[in-house]
Amino acid sequence: MTKTALITGITGQDGSYLTELLLEKGYEVHGIVRRSSSFNTDRIDHIYKDPHDSDARMFLHYGDLTDGQNITNLVLDVEPDEVYNLGAQSHVRVSFDSPAYTVQVTGIGALNVLEAARQLNKRKPVRVYQASSSEMYGDVTETPQNEKTPFAPQSPYACAKVYAFHQTVNYRKAYNLFAINGILFNHESPRRGETFVTRKITRAATRIKLGLQDKLFLGNLDAKRDWGYARDYVEGMWMMLQHDRPDDFVLATGQTQTIRQFLDYAFGHIDLDWNKYVEIDPRYFRPTEVNLLLGDYSKAREQLGWEPKTTCRELAELMVDHDMELARHEATQSSLR
């Protein structure tokens, strides 16, 4: 029997890779997108078919995580077997500028999804994946961090994610809902938003290489992160919901690099010395910094059989290769003007 999945945040990095994976596995996929005056479906346009086609297995619905009734209506209409809540205001620095909005979307939005799933669970079994974040560990109390490490959030975004995490555990215990937290450490890809530091670096490196940009302005170069490949991580999300019982799992690489090292990988891949082009801009420092995140994914390895497949260097290089094509296209367009 064909399984049905509902994905919030389907137009994001993780949502697009997860959609590809689920379609490959024969799922019917429904995604929730926000209404806006412009289209924001670039990451999924290559897999979206006219929903009226007889072979269409992907469908989009307008919705908003902050509207609980809307989310409940959608969940009860679609009746998914699996719900993946990937939608959020997920930029840490932006969360300091828009804390109330971040809490509404990232925190209360998760509660709305859980409540909708609880209503559906009365009618038929449903499994829920909540996208938790390594940012919840914040001012870390131990290294590496695992499922038992205490949370010490250092941003409005991280606080909202901690709230969503505990609500997920609460719904699991109180209502016997199959609800799982995936605590994912930083995961990147060519589909990462260009305001995130890794993509900002790979875009700038390729544009500098082709003479389209002179400088790259960054904040704290000494922050250490555990960077993996988003395509590897969405497979872990799916594996969590196939597990025989609901639990919480860390996905990580178990390796940490500084932003300086990521700069080495990205600029070095195209024979540039980043020291000649990078300048520090105080605007990019967070009011409270998270200096070291390093994940222990041994539980996911032992219980799910999940392993990261891509090193940080390989990740940086594949992102640079993708962004070089964008830069070349940009250079061609500039020459035609």
Side-chain angles (χ1 to χ4, degrees):
M1 189 175 78
T2 300
K3 279 188 176 182
T4 301
L6 178 66
I7 303 173
T8 73
I10 194 171
T11 59
Q13 167 188 260
D14 292 4
S16 65
Y17 283 122
L18 179 61
T19 299
E20 289 175 346
L21 177 72
L22 295 179
L23 288 174
E24 288 170 6
K25 292 183 178 296
Y27 279 64
E28 177 178 295
V29 177
H30 294 256
I32 298 178
V33 296
R34 284 176 299 168
R35 259 189 208 281
S36 67
S37 57
S38 59
F39 292 107
N40 63 345
T41 58
D42 293 356
R43 295 184 182 95
I44 57 174
D45 283 343
H46 65 290
I47 48 178
Y48 185 63
K49 292 183 178 180
D50 185 329
H52 300 295
D53 286 356
S54 59
D55 61 343
R57 288 188 294 114
M58 175 183 166
F59 306 90
L60 299 180
H61 309 266
Y62 285 118
D64 192 316
L65 282 172
T66 63
D67 184 343
Q69 189 60 58
N70 165 251
I71 295 301
T72 295
N73 290 344
L74 282 170
V75 168
L76 293 179
D77 286 346
V78 173
E79 293 193 332
D81 301 292
E82 298 172 3
V83 176
Y84 295 85
N85 183 34
L86 311 184
Q89 190 302 99
S90 59
H91 198 288
V92 175
R93 183 63 189 84
V94 170
S95 78
F96 285 100
D97 300 323
S98 302
Y101 173 73
T102 299
V103 169
Q104 283 294 321
V105 176
T106 307
I108 302 302
L111 176 62
N112 289 337
V113 170
L114 289 164
E115 180 58 22
R118 183 179 76 85
Q119 297 291 340
L120 176 60
N121 207 45
K122 298 175 184 178
R123 186 188 303 175
K124 59 162 285 188
V126 60
R127 297 187 171 201
V128 180
Y129 172 86
Q130 167 60 27
S132 291
S133 168
S134 60
E135 286 287 335
M136 299 187 303
Y137 295 121
D139 188 13
V140 298
T141 57
E142 63 183 22
T143 299
Q145 297 90 47
N146 61 33
E147 294 81 4
K148 295 182 179 179
T149 301
F151 300 137
Q154 293 282 92
S155 68
Y157 166 75
C159 289
K161 282 293 188 183
V162 169
Y163 172 88
F165 176 94
H166 287 301
Q167 286 289 10
T168 302
V169 174
N170 180 50
Y171 269 69
R172 184 166 72 217
K173 292 179 177 179
Y175 305 115
N176 200 30
L177 182 68
F178 195 108
I180 279 181
N181 284 294
I183 308 172
L184 273 56
F185 279 66
N186 294 67
H187 47 290
E188 319 295 316
S189 76
R191 299 180 191 174
R192 189 60 143 152
E194 293 184 18
T195 58
F196 290 84
V197 67
T198 51
R199 189 77 195 289
K200 188 175 177 180
I201 288 170
T202 59
R203 280 291 277 146
T206 55
R207 296 186 83 251
I208 288 169
K209 182 71 173 181
L210 297 187
L212 298 169
Q213 184 173 330
D214 298 321
K215 293 287 183 181
L216 168 60
F217 296 93
L218 295 173
N220 179 13
L221 302 188
D222 297 313
K224 295 179 179 179
R225 294 292 183 270
D226 183 328
W227 277 304
Y229 184 21
R231 190 185 291 276
D232 296 345
Y233 284 48
V234 299
E235 184 174 16
M237 296 177 188
W238 175 79
M239 293 168 82
M240 289 180 208
L241 287 198
Q242 314 317 306
H243 197 44
D244 55 3
R245 62 185 177 83
D247 205 346
D248 306 315
F249 294 93
V250 164
L251 297 188
T253 68
Q255 303 290 325
T256 188
Q257 284 85 17
T258 62
I259 292 173
R260 293 178 189 276
Q261 288 171 300
F262 197 91
L263 284 163
D264 282 340
Y265 297 152
F267 277 75
H269 188 50
I270 47 178
D271 300 317
L272 289 179
D273 178 0
W274 63 265
N275 292 282
K276 297 178 180 178
Y277 307 101
V278 173
E279 293 187 8
I280 303 302
D281 188 332
R283 291 179 302 170
Y284 295 116
F285 282 88
R286 301 178 185 178
T288 48
E289 183 59 81
V290 174
N291 290 311
L292 172 61
L293 291 175
L294 175 62
D296 172 6
Y297 68 93
S298 57
K299 182 177 175 181
R301 181 181 62 235
E302 292 161 9
Q303 296 191 22
L304 305 177
W306 181 86
E307 291 271 7
K309 302 170 185 173
T310 311
T311 67
C312 186
R313 180 187 289 275
E314 291 168 341
L315 171 64
E317 292 177 354
L318 71 87
M319 290 173 67
V320 167
D321 289 342
H322 172 272
D323 286 343
M324 183 57 78
E325 291 304 311
L326 291 184
R328 288 188 180 119
H329 178 71
E330 189 178 350
T332 301
Q333 294 300 111
S334 296
S335 67
L336 296 176
R337 292 194 185 107

